[in-house]
Amino acid sequence: MTGRFCWQGVPIAVAMSIAAATAHAACPPATVDGAVVSKGELVLAYRPVANADKGAKPDRIPMAQHFALEVQLCEKGAASTARLHKADASMPEHKHGMNYRPVITSLGAGHFRVEGMMFHMAGRWELTFEVHAGKETVRLTHDVQVE
Amino acid sequence: MTYRSSRSALRRLGLAAALLALSMSAAGEDAREFTAAELGRIAAHGPWPLPWTPDPGNRVSGNAAAIWLGHQLFFDRRLSANGRVACATCHDPDLGFQDGRATGRGLATGVRNTPGLLNVRHQRWFGWDGGHDNLWSASLRPILDPSEMGGSAQRTASVLRNDKALACHYGQAFGKRPHASDPELLVNVAKAIAAWQETLVSPASPFDRFRDALARQDARATVAYPVAAQRGLRLFLGRGQCATCHAGPMFTNGEFGDTGMPFFVKPNGVDPGRQGGIKRLLANPHNLLGPYNDDVTRNNATGTKFLRPEHRNFGEFKVPTLRNLPVTAPYMHNGSLATLRDVVRHYSELDEDRLHADGERILKPLKLSEEEIDDLVAFLKSLSPTIQMPVLAKPATLSACIADEPNARKPNDRQSR
């Protein structure tokens, strides 16, 4: 899936409660206000949230500002036991990555938070997720156009 | 360096305004048609001014007593070892808080160009190498730097103690008297000077008015923007790819880049740029990860916490803002380019061998025609206000201190006067 992001303006508190309420239902929730990428059985849903000091409002990925990602891993419609091991991004056309090294925190039940991201230039960024599922490493990528 | 002196900066900007007006009347009817994509990009360079928020890392940010104190100290030569160098020696209000020299000269001559300080509140990194992650630590450095002011905590405390107005404002801002033995004294002084610098905001420019007019689809108002500047703007967003780095309302993405400027410094050294800046930053006890950050959440330290040093940082310098350039010549980190025309020519004739082999590949020699160079220069000039720069408030007096309740005035009160 290439192309522009369009985030519904769901306030984070509401979005979080949807996520919590549907933890036992569909995974990812049908109303996920982010992007969904999959490979085989593994489904990864993510959405950007503004950096903590900017007021955590779900938004499109901001240009040249720090943001965090909320990531959810699912398998066969339920929370996955796989672990998000790495998240990173680069600009293939510019041949460079980010100036920051993001850090992942596990929030349990297939939920993760990636902190310290910044897309410091407009253009095409390729997000890369590395997921450890048992002995297997699955790489998922997703294109984001930042303006 | 007087408080009225921003007038002559004004005169300079006023001249730019007159020239813009001239070129405008000649070609006013030939307004460009911008595509939807271009309109979106133009909108992203505003609105201006940006909303002012206090700096969470500086507990006296926005505090009236601290702003008074910082204002006074910025012009106070007594903080320097020889009693002759103030911040304003290099950061002259007449020149957008720059000095007109290639490289700064205090107790000795340095190797880097003095940056202007207008709109400094909106920077993420400070110094050409981003060696500071906050405004107060960038303001403390020159006080101690032996080649700039060569001062000390001792000297600063004695200046404060022996001046009733300064001591009074210090007491009001920090709730205690200045003591040389206080390890926080210098940090507090730097925070006060930072609080004052945060109030330095440049007014809207012809570009800002054009951008706003486009945004509200006011075709009549867009005509006021010179056609040469409009052509320059199109180049800036398009073929020039300038906005890739010079992005947003500040015309900088706040990060670092390599534009093929030489990084050799006389006699036979090199300026490592961002690579050295990251080292300096992480070794500095006054960075936002350290104990002097007043934001207990440390949410303001994200940039420093997640920094990723890269090979390519060698020779990278901060992408500077492009606002107020007509008053802040010469240009680039080493002040080696005297005029805006020289800068545009640099991008036009770029020596690709000088660029990082492993880095950015968006810069190409643009091979601009003379007319295109004129257009880009006209556009760059249009990023400066043509109206009066905000007049600096009066210096701190003892009676003002005694009369003033702390926090009674907001920084914005000051700018609008």
Side-chain angles (χ1 to χ4, degrees), chain B residues 352-384:
Chain B
E352 278 186 281
D353 294 341
R354 279 229 184 107
L355 294 175
H356 281 171
D358 60 339
E360 200 59 66
R361 292 281 76 179
I362 55 173
L363 279 173
K364 296 260 183 289
L366 291 172
K367 304 279 180 229
L368 301 168
S369 70
E370 284 304 306
E371 291 73 32
E372 287 173 322
I373 292 177
D374 290 342
D375 291 345
L376 259 179
V377 170
F379 166 69
L380 291 172
K381 285 185 175 165
S382 78
L383 303 179
S384 285

Side-chain angles (χ1 to χ4, degrees), chain A residues 86-145:
Chain A
K86 217 174 135 185
D88 212 341
S90 66
M91 295 191 90
E93 280 84 12
H94 292 204
K95 299 201 181 80
H96 67 69
M98 295 191 292
N99 289 342
Y100 301 89
R101 185 177 286 123
V103 170
I104 298 169
T105 325
S106 172
L107 305 174
H111 287 268
F112 300 85
R113 190 177 166 93
V114 183
E115 223 132 0
M117 307 276 300
M118 188 205 283
F119 292 170
H120 63 279
M121 282 180 182
R124 182 170 79 93
W125 285 83
E126 188 182 76
L127 260 168
T128 315
F129 299 99
E130 218 175 274
V131 177
H132 286 184
K135 287 200 184 106
E136 220 189 321
T137 298
V138 185
R139 267 172 64 96
L140 300 106
T141 62
H142 191 235
D143 275 6
V144 182
Q145 189 69 31

